[in-house]
Amino acid sequence: MSRTGKSNRGTPACYAMVHSGLESIAADEITKELGGEVKKAEKGIVVFKIEEIIPELLHLRTVEDVFLLAWGTDTLTYRAEDLKQIKMWTEKQAPWQHLFGLHQSIRPKAKGRPTYRVVTQMNGQHGYRRTDASKAFRQGLAPFIPVTWNAAEDNTFLEVWLTIRGRMATCGVRLSDKTMRHKSYKVEHLPASLRPTMAAAMVRLAGAGPGQVMLDPMCGAGTIICEQIIIGKQQQEGRIETWGGDIEMNTLRACASNIKRVGPAVIAHWDARRLPIATESVDRIISNPPFGKQLSTPEDIGPLYKAAVREYHRVLKPGGKAVFLVMEQDVLREAIKGYGWIPQRQFGVEVLGQDAVISVWQKVGE
């Protein structure tokens, strides 16, 4: 990243916080949906520029948070001398008034005294503590926060963040709020429920188009279905028919409650190993099946995947695609072997603190 310089005019760069492993998918969304120019994609972050700071920044589906970039560097030394640099860059190199004005254009002030929050995150081994970095950051920022504003911890008007990861630091003004990562539709949660940004990434990889049918055969809380409906609406090119089901009735109730907040879908009670669906009637399958550790008998994961994939092969149209998120990638690959599906893309991600894989497959056309 090197170090960004001070710029009081024009449109500043932005950066998005991204779930590790989804950087290239988020970069693709930023490029295609916003016309953005991606400058850098590192673990957990995508730096980009767009022509104008617009509300559509907050409509991105595959990112956790969006910021206006104040300054950034990838030249930290891990030594205490970094603290002087953090204070100096914050005080001298960031166009705070310009950034605050752009922030207010997207998130207008509420009545009363504005509130603010200063956040410091730090990962990696450094010769100073997070509290030391926070102190240097706050000292550099202090001249630019009006004395009439109140510091607070929750639901603040303004948040300014410093994130340190190894040699890299990014500092910026947060444009998004907690609904960007948690999503307002998800009122019903289940244990090990899929993150909305992860579901959105899988939907984008599947690439269902107008007039096509997308199936989530083990739909859980319905996060994949909700993201498919929302992304389909954003594309505004025609309706994508969305089907889902699950073997657990309590799960289906949670799914139905979430889905009703975003749009129509066909939801059914079924066993994914015996789908009541016509042969070759589905264009896309997106699935986050149970991981072995979620089953009472983990060794059942192989037979489960094998039986489910057999059904998926039956209902998927020739040329159709399937996207999976699993921890046991070798087990999934073994289940698919013999059907002639072509592996297209693969992404290593982390789920519930464990390594997992998103993979994209295509059924051979006939």
Side-chain angles (χ1 to χ4, degrees):
M1 184 184 294
S2 68
R3 183 168 57 82
T4 58
K6 184 172 181 178
S7 174
N8 289 308
R9 296 189 300 173
T11 303
C14 300
Y15 64 97
M17 294 292 194
V18 181
H19 192 87
S20 181
L22 303 184
E23 295 85 0
S24 63
I25 303 171
D28 181 74
E29 182 184 14
I30 289 165
T31 301
K32 291 181 178 177
E33 307 303 328
L34 297 179
E37 180 185 357
V38 173
K39 297 293 187 179
K40 192 178 187 69
E42 294 279 351
K43 183 178 181 180
I45 188 171
V46 178
V47 181
F48 63 97
K49 291 207 70 171
I50 56 175
E51 291 185 0
E52 182 182 1
I53 304 302
I54 52 178
E56 283 74 15
L57 272 167
L58 305 184
H59 298 168
L60 293 168
R61 308 302 304 178
T62 62
V63 309
E64 304 276 320
D65 277 301
V66 175
F67 298 78
L68 298 171
L69 180 64
W71 61 263
T73 184
D74 54 11
T75 61
L76 292 181
T77 66
Y78 297 90
R79 297 190 295 272
E81 63 189 60
D82 289 342
L83 300 176
K84 293 181 181 179
Q85 294 293 87
I86 288 170
K87 180 179 182 297
M88 187 274 291
W89 291 333
T90 303
E91 185 175 6
K92 304 295 185 182
Q93 299 297 325
W96 292 113
Q97 298 308 319
H98 182 49
L99 297 179
F100 292 166
L102 290 171
H103 171 270
Q104 188 173 340
S105 71
I106 301 296
R107 302 177 61 88
K109 291 180 183 176
K111 292 182 179 179
R113 286 190 177 186
T115 55
Y116 72 95
R117 181 181 178 217
V118 179
V119 177
T120 303
Q121 298 178 328
M122 191 166 78
N123 293 319
Q125 296 296 321
H126 296 78
Y128 46 89
R129 300 169 299 168
R130 183 182 65 84
T131 53
D132 299 324
S134 178
K135 181 179 179 180
F137 179 37
R138 290 172 180 271
Q139 288 174 342
L141 184 63
F144 306 97
I145 301 293
V147 294
T148 56
W149 289 19
N150 294 325
E153 289 300 318
D154 296 306
N155 300 316
T156 57
F157 161 66
L158 179 74
E159 289 189 10
V160 187
W161 287 40
L162 170 65
T163 302
I164 298 172
R165 295 177 177 173
R167 295 179 61 85
M168 187 172 75
T170 50
C171 174
V173 177
R174 189 186 187 197
L175 288 178
S176 50
D177 62 18
K178 62 183 180 181
T179 62
M180 187 166 203
R181 62 175 64 189
H182 296 298
K183 312 303 183 189
S184 58
Y185 66 75
K186 200 162 183 180
V187 296
E188 297 288 343
H189 296 269
L190 297 172
S193 185
L194 189 62
R195 295 173 74 99
T197 52
M198 193 79 72
M202 296 173 72
V203 168
R204 289 190 65 85
L205 288 170
Q212 293 187 330
V213 175
M214 188 286 287
L215 168 68
D216 181 355
M218 302 180 186
C219 65
T223 312
I224 289 172
I225 295 173
C226 289
E227 289 299 323
Q228 178 65 82
I229 292 170
I230 293 168
I231 290 172
K233 287 179 179 178
Q234 288 180 345
Q235 292 172 345
Q236 297 180 340
E237 295 176 349
R239 183 167 176 258
I240 297 168
E241 196 164 348
T242 308
W243 300 351
D246 205 279
I247 199 169
E248 298 288 344
M249 284 302 300
N250 288 337
T251 295
L252 280 176
R253 293 187 186 100
C255 174
S257 179
N258 290 332
I259 288 172
K260 72 179 182 180
R261 289 168 169 78
V262 298
V266 177
I267 304 299
H269 179 225
W270 64 38
D271 185 335
R273 295 166 292 189
R274 293 181 292 275
L275 293 170
I277 296 174
T279 298
E280 296 184 357
S281 59
V282 172
D283 298 280
R284 299 289 188 270
I285 294 174
I286 308 177
S287 183
N288 172 216
F291 300 149
K293 62 172 56 182
Q294 295 173 286
L295 301 178
S296 57
T297 310
E299 56 267 23
D300 287 345
I301 201 73
L304 172 63
Y305 284 14
K306 186 175 180 179
V309 169
R310 182 173 59 244
E311 272 295 86
Y312 300 170
H313 181 72
R314 180 183 67 81
V315 302
L316 190 61
K317 293 179 181 178
K321 291 183 180 181
V323 180
F324 298 97
L325 170 61
V326 299
M327 285 183 183
E328 298 85 355
Q329 180 69 4
D330 290 342
V331 178
L332 175 66
R333 190 180 295 110
E334 182 65 23
I336 290 174
K337 187 174 67 175
Y339 292 108
W341 289 13
I342 301 171
Q344 294 195 314
R345 303 181 73 183
Q346 182 170 302
F347 303 84
V349 296
E350 187 177 285
V351 178
L352 303 176
Q354 301 293 320
D355 291 337
V357 175
I358 297 175
S359 57
V360 184
W361 304 78
Q362 184 170 34
K363 181 178 177 180
V364 175
E366 297 176 0

mmCIF file of all heavy atoms in Angstrom, residues 144-172:
data_model
loop_
_atom_site.group_PDB
_atom_site.id
_atom_site.type_symbol
_atom_site.label_atom_id
_atom_site.label_comp_id
_atom_site.label_asym_id
_atom_site.label_seq_id
_atom_site.Cartn_x
_atom_site.Cartn_y
_atom_site.Cartn_z
ATOM 1 N N PHE A 144 -9.397 17.441 15.524
ATOM 2 C CA PHE A 144 -10.405 17.474 14.460
ATOM 3 C C PHE A 144 -11.798 17.053 14.930
ATOM 4 O O PHE A 144 -12.752 17.134 14.155
ATOM 5 C CB PHE A 144 -9.953 16.573 13.307
ATOM 6 C CG PHE A 144 -8.584 16.916 12.803
ATOM 7 C CD1 PHE A 144 -7.460 16.227 13.239
ATOM 8 C CD2 PHE A 144 -8.406 17.979 11.922
ATOM 9 C CE1 PHE A 144 -6.199 16.553 12.791
ATOM 10 C CE2 PHE A 144 -7.144 18.316 11.469
ATOM 11 C CZ PHE A 144 -6.036 17.609 11.902
ATOM 12 N N ILE A 145 -11.918 16.598 16.169
ATOM 13 C CA ILE A 145 -13.222 16.238 16.716
ATOM 14 C C ILE A 145 -13.763 17.439 17.484
ATOM 15 O O ILE A 145 -13.145 17.881 18.457
ATOM 16 C CB ILE A 145 -13.122 15.019 17.656
ATOM 17 C CG1 ILE A 145 -12.556 13.816 16.916
ATOM 18 C CG2 ILE A 145 -14.486 14.703 18.257
ATOM 19 C CD1 ILE A 145 -13.455 13.262 15.842
ATOM 20 N N PRO A 146 -14.906 18.011 17.079
ATOM 21 C CA PRO A 146 -15.456 19.176 17.797
ATOM 22 C C PRO A 146 -15.667 18.877 19.279
ATOM 23 O O PRO A 146 -16.103 17.782 19.651
ATOM 24 C CB PRO A 146 -16.792 19.416 17.084
ATOM 25 C CG PRO A 146 -16.593 18.851 15.709
ATOM 26 C CD PRO A 146 -15.714 17.649 15.904
ATOM 27 N N VAL A 147 -15.334 19.854 20.125
ATOM 28 C CA VAL A 147 -15.434 19.650 21.576
ATOM 29 C C VAL A 147 -16.886 19.472 22.016
ATOM 30 O O VAL A 147 -17.145 18.960 23.114
ATOM 31 C CB VAL A 147 -14.803 20.839 22.327
ATOM 32 C CG1 VAL A 147 -13.297 20.879 22.067
ATOM 33 C CG2 VAL A 147 -15.457 22.152 21.943
ATOM 34 N N THR A 148 -17.831 19.871 21.176
ATOM 35 C CA THR A 148 -19.245 19.739 21.539
ATOM 36 C C THR A 148 -19.788 18.329 21.277
ATOM 37 O O THR A 148 -20.909 18.017 21.664
ATOM 38 C CB THR A 148 -20.096 20.749 20.748
ATOM 39 O OG1 THR A 148 -19.865 20.555 19.340
ATOM 40 C CG2 THR A 148 -19.741 22.170 21.137
ATOM 41 N N TRP A 149 -18.999 17.487 20.613
ATOM 42 C CA TRP A 149 -19.445 16.116 20.339
ATOM 43 C C TRP A 149 -19.204 15.245 21.564
ATOM 44 O O TRP A 149 -18.257 15.456 22.326
ATOM 45 C CB TRP A 149 -18.697 15.545 19.140
ATOM 46 C CG TRP A 149 -19.105 16.161 17.828
ATOM 47 C CD1 TRP A 149 -19.747 17.347 17.630
ATOM 48 C CD2 TRP A 149 -18.869 15.623 16.529
ATOM 49 N NE1 TRP A 149 -19.927 17.593 16.293
ATOM 50 C CE2 TRP A 149 -19.402 16.542 15.590
ATOM 51 C CE3 TRP A 149 -18.270 14.466 16.066
ATOM 52 C CZ2 TRP A 149 -19.352 16.318 14.211
ATOM 53 C CZ3 TRP A 149 -18.209 14.237 14.708
ATOM 54 C CH2 TRP A 149 -18.748 15.159 13.780
ATOM 55 N N ASN A 150 -20.042 14.245 21.720
ATOM 56 C CA ASN A 150 -19.945 13.333 22.855
ATOM 57 C C ASN A 150 -19.373 11.986 22.445
ATOM 58 O O ASN A 150 -19.825 11.390 21.459
ATOM 59 C CB ASN A 150 -21.327 13.109 23.479
ATOM 60 C CG ASN A 150 -21.892 14.365 24.113
ATOM 61 O OD1 ASN A 150 -21.135 15.176 24.670
ATOM 62 N ND2 ASN A 150 -23.201 14.535 24.046
ATOM 63 N N ALA A 151 -18.404 11.497 23.201
ATOM 64 C CA ALA A 151 -17.888 10.141 22.976
ATOM 65 C C ALA A 151 -18.913 9.132 23.476
ATOM 66 O O ALA A 151 -19.556 9.335 24.504
ATOM 67 C CB ALA A 151 -16.563 9.956 23.702
ATOM 68 N N ALA A 152 -19.096 8.050 22.711
ATOM 69 C CA ALA A 152 -20.064 7.012 23.074
ATOM 70 C C ALA A 152 -19.550 5.679 22.546
ATOM 71 O O ALA A 152 -18.593 5.621 21.777
ATOM 72 C CB ALA A 152 -21.441 7.337 22.519
ATOM 73 N N GLU A 153 -20.205 4.603 22.951
ATOM 74 C CA GLU A 153 -19.777 3.264 22.548
ATOM 75 C C GLU A 153 -20.711 2.600 21.545
ATOM 76 O O GLU A 153 -20.298 1.703 20.820
ATOM 77 C CB GLU A 153 -19.633 2.367 23.785
ATOM 78 C CG GLU A 153 -18.430 2.722 24.651
ATOM 79 C CD GLU A 153 -17.113 2.601 23.890
ATOM 80 O OE1 GLU A 153 -16.944 1.619 23.133
ATOM 81 O OE2 GLU A 153 -16.270 3.502 24.041
ATOM 82 N N ASP A 154 -21.970 3.001 21.521
ATOM 83 C CA ASP A 154 -22.944 2.336 20.660
ATOM 84 C C ASP A 154 -23.761 3.348 19.875
ATOM 85 O O ASP A 154 -24.045 4.457 20.351
ATOM 86 C CB ASP A 154 -23.906 1.459 21.492
ATOM 87 C CG ASP A 154 -23.183 0.316 22.174
ATOM 88 O OD1 ASP A 154 -22.493 -0.437 21.468
ATOM 89 O OD2 ASP A 154 -23.310 0.189 23.400
ATOM 90 N N ASN A 155 -24.140 2.938 18.652
ATOM 91 C CA ASN A 155 -25.051 3.732 17.810
ATOM 92 C C ASN A 155 -24.588 5.174 17.662
ATOM 93 O O ASN A 155 -25.369 6.122 17.782
ATOM 94 C CB ASN A 155 -26.473 3.700 18.389
ATOM 95 C CG ASN A 155 -27.020 2.289 18.466
ATOM 96 O OD1 ASN A 155 -26.876 1.506 17.536
ATOM 97 N ND2 ASN A 155 -27.644 1.963 19.599
ATOM 98 N N THR A 156 -23.301 5.349 17.403
ATOM 99 C CA THR A 156 -22.762 6.691 17.262
ATOM 100 C C THR A 156 -22.948 7.222 15.843
ATOM 101 O O THR A 156 -23.065 6.457 14.887
ATOM 102 C CB THR A 156 -21.267 6.702 17.609
ATOM 103 O OG1 THR A 156 -20.589 5.764 16.764
ATOM 104 C CG2 THR A 156 -21.039 6.333 19.058
ATOM 105 N N PHE A 157 -22.942 8.542 15.740
ATOM 106 C CA PHE A 157 -23.043 9.171 14.422
ATOM 107 C C PHE A 157 -21.782 8.923 13.610
ATOM 108 O O PHE A 157 -21.830 8.614 12.420
ATOM 109 C CB PHE A 157 -23.278 10.677 14.588
ATOM 110 C CG PHE A 157 -22.955 11.496 13.367
ATOM 111 C CD1 PHE A 157 -23.708 11.361 12.206
ATOM 112 C CD2 PHE A 157 -21.885 12.383 13.367
ATOM 113 C CE1 PHE A 157 -23.412 12.106 11.068
ATOM 114 C CE2 PHE A 157 -21.582 13.123 12.231
ATOM 115 C CZ PHE A 157 -22.348 12.984 11.083
ATOM 116 N N LEU A 158 -20.630 9.020 14.254
ATOM 117 C CA LEU A 158 -19.348 8.919 13.544
ATOM 118 C C LEU A 158 -18.459 7.882 14.215
ATOM 119 O O LEU A 158 -18.370 7.830 15.440
ATOM 120 C CB LEU A 158 -18.638 10.274 13.551
ATOM 121 C CG LEU A 158 -17.262 10.339 12.862
ATOM 122 C CD1 LEU A 158 -17.427 10.310 11.351
ATOM 123 C CD2 LEU A 158 -16.508 11.596 13.287
ATOM 124 N N GLU A 159 -17.800 7.061 13.402
ATOM 125 C CA GLU A 159 -16.780 6.139 13.902
ATOM 126 C C GLU A 159 -15.516 6.316 13.072
ATOM 127 O O GLU A 159 -15.572 6.331 11.842
ATOM 128 C CB GLU A 159 -17.242 4.678 13.810
ATOM 129 C CG GLU A 159 -18.321 4.312 14.801
ATOM 130 C CD GLU A 159 -18.603 2.822 14.833
ATOM 131 O OE1 GLU A 159 -17.831 2.050 14.221
ATOM 132 O OE2 GLU A 159 -19.600 2.430 15.472
ATOM 133 N N VAL A 160 -14.398 6.440 13.751
ATOM 134 C CA VAL A 160 -13.097 6.537 13.091
ATOM 135 C C VAL A 160 -12.264 5.346 13.573
ATOM 136 O O VAL A 160 -12.136 5.112 14.779
ATOM 137 C CB VAL A 160 -12.388 7.860 13.420
ATOM 138 C CG1 VAL A 160 -11.120 7.993 12.586
ATOM 139 C CG2 VAL A 160 -13.318 9.044 13.160
ATOM 140 N N TRP A 161 -11.714 4.600 12.614
ATOM 141 C CA TRP A 161 -11.034 3.336 12.933
ATOM 142 C C TRP A 161 -9.565 3.377 12.530
ATOM 143 O O TRP A 161 -9.204 3.939 11.497
ATOM 144 C CB TRP A 161 -11.688 2.177 12.181
ATOM 145 C CG TRP A 161 -13.030 1.743 12.677
ATOM 146 C CD1 TRP A 161 -14.056 2.526 13.116
ATOM 147 C CD2 TRP A 161 -13.505 0.388 12.765
ATOM 148 N NE1 TRP A 161 -15.138 1.773 13.460
ATOM 149 C CE2 TRP A 161 -14.836 0.454 13.255
ATOM 150 C CE3 TRP A 161 -12.947 -0.843 12.465
ATOM 151 C CZ2 TRP A 161 -15.601 -0.695 13.460
ATOM 152 C CZ3 TRP A 161 -13.710 -1.982 12.663
ATOM 153 C CH2 TRP A 161 -15.013 -1.903 13.163
ATOM 154 N N LEU A 162 -8.755 2.711 13.353
ATOM 155 C CA LEU A 162 -7.377 2.380 12.993
ATOM 156 C C LEU A 162 -7.255 0.863 13.105
ATOM 157 O O LEU A 162 -7.528 0.286 14.161
ATOM 158 C CB LEU A 162 -6.384 3.057 13.945
ATOM 159 C CG LEU A 162 -4.921 2.597 13.820
ATOM 160 C CD1 LEU A 162 -4.346 2.984 12.456
ATOM 161 C CD2 LEU A 162 -4.077 3.171 14.952
ATOM 162 N N THR A 163 -6.851 0.215 12.025
ATOM 163 C CA THR A 163 -6.687 -1.241 12.003
ATOM 164 C C THR A 163 -5.247 -1.565 11.647
ATOM 165 O O THR A 163 -4.761 -1.152 10.585
ATOM 166 C CB THR A 163 -7.642 -1.891 10.988
ATOM 167 O OG1 THR A 163 -8.997 -1.551 11.333
ATOM 168 C CG2 THR A 163 -7.493 -3.410 10.997
ATOM 169 N N ILE A 164 -4.571 -2.275 12.525
ATOM 170 C CA ILE A 164 -3.172 -2.649 12.320
ATOM 171 C C ILE A 164 -3.094 -4.156 12.161
ATOM 172 O O ILE A 164 -3.557 -4.909 13.023
ATOM 173 C CB ILE A 164 -2.299 -2.200 13.507
ATOM 174 C CG1 ILE A 164 -2.336 -0.670 13.639
ATOM 175 C CG2 ILE A 164 -0.856 -2.685 13.331
ATOM 176 C CD1 ILE A 164 -1.649 -0.151 14.898
ATOM 177 N N ARG A 165 -2.514 -4.598 11.041
ATOM 178 C CA ARG A 165 -2.303 -6.020 10.774
ATOM 179 C C ARG A 165 -0.874 -6.202 10.288
ATOM 180 O O ARG A 165 -0.561 -5.896 9.143
ATOM 181 C CB ARG A 165 -3.282 -6.526 9.720
ATOM 182 C CG ARG A 165 -4.742 -6.491 10.167
ATOM 183 C CD ARG A 165 -5.680 -6.928 9.081
ATOM 184 N NE ARG A 165 -7.070 -6.956 9.536
ATOM 185 C CZ ARG A 165 -8.119 -7.175 8.748
ATOM 186 N NH1 ARG A 165 -7.928 -7.398 7.452
ATOM 187 N NH2 ARG A 165 -9.336 -7.188 9.241
ATOM 188 N N GLY A 166 -0.026 -6.682 11.176
ATOM 189 C CA GLY A 166 1.370 -6.851 10.797
ATOM 190 C C GLY A 166 2.007 -5.529 10.419
ATOM 191 O O GLY A 166 1.998 -4.572 11.193
ATOM 192 N N ARG A 167 2.545 -5.453 9.207
ATOM 193 C CA ARG A 167 3.189 -4.225 8.725
ATOM 194 C C ARG A 167 2.193 -3.225 8.160
ATOM 195 O O ARG A 167 2.559 -2.097 7.848
ATOM 196 C CB ARG A 167 4.214 -4.570 7.637
ATOM 197 C CG ARG A 167 5.388 -5.392 8.136
ATOM 198 C CD ARG A 167 6.347 -5.707 6.996
ATOM 199 N NE ARG A 167 6.910 -4.504 6.404
ATOM 200 C CZ ARG A 167 7.975 -3.867 6.860
ATOM 201 N NH1 ARG A 167 8.599 -4.325 7.938
ATOM 202 N NH2 ARG A 167 8.439 -2.796 6.265
ATOM 203 N N MET A 168 0.939 -3.636 8.020
ATOM 204 C CA MET A 168 -0.040 -2.776 7.362
ATOM 205 C C MET A 168 -0.968 -2.112 8.372
ATOM 206 O O MET A 168 -1.400 -2.730 9.343
ATOM 207 C CB MET A 168 -0.878 -3.591 6.366
ATOM 208 C CG MET A 168 -1.799 -2.725 5.511
ATOM 209 S SD MET A 168 -2.609 -3.662 4.188
ATOM 210 C CE MET A 168 -3.842 -4.559 5.125
ATOM 211 N N ALA A 169 -1.264 -0.837 8.138
ATOM 212 C CA ALA A 169 -2.246 -0.120 8.939
ATOM 213 C C ALA A 169 -3.162 0.650 8.007
ATOM 214 O O ALA A 169 -2.716 1.212 6.992
ATOM 215 C CB ALA A 169 -1.567 0.840 9.913
ATOM 216 N N THR A 170 -4.447 0.652 8.331
ATOM 217 C CA THR A 170 -5.415 1.465 7.598
ATOM 218 C C THR A 170 -6.191 2.290 8.597
ATOM 219 O O THR A 170 -6.545 1.812 9.682
ATOM 220 C CB THR A 170 -6.387 0.596 6.781
ATOM 221 O OG1 THR A 170 -6.935 -0.429 7.615
ATOM 222 C CG2 THR A 170 -5.687 -0.021 5.590
ATOM 223 N N CYS A 171 -6.458 3.515 8.219
ATOM 224 C CA CYS A 171 -7.185 4.440 9.073
ATOM 225 C C CYS A 171 -8.292 5.070 8.245
ATOM 226 O O CYS A 171 -8.054 5.509 7.104
ATOM 227 C CB CYS A 171 -6.236 5.510 9.617
ATOM 228 S SG CYS A 171 -7.063 6.818 10.548
ATOM 229 N N GLY A 172 -9.498 5.101 8.776
ATOM 230 C CA GLY A 172 -10.574 5.679 7.984
ATOM 231 C C GLY A 172 -11.833 5.959 8.770
ATOM 232 O O GLY A 172 -11.947 5.658 9.961
#
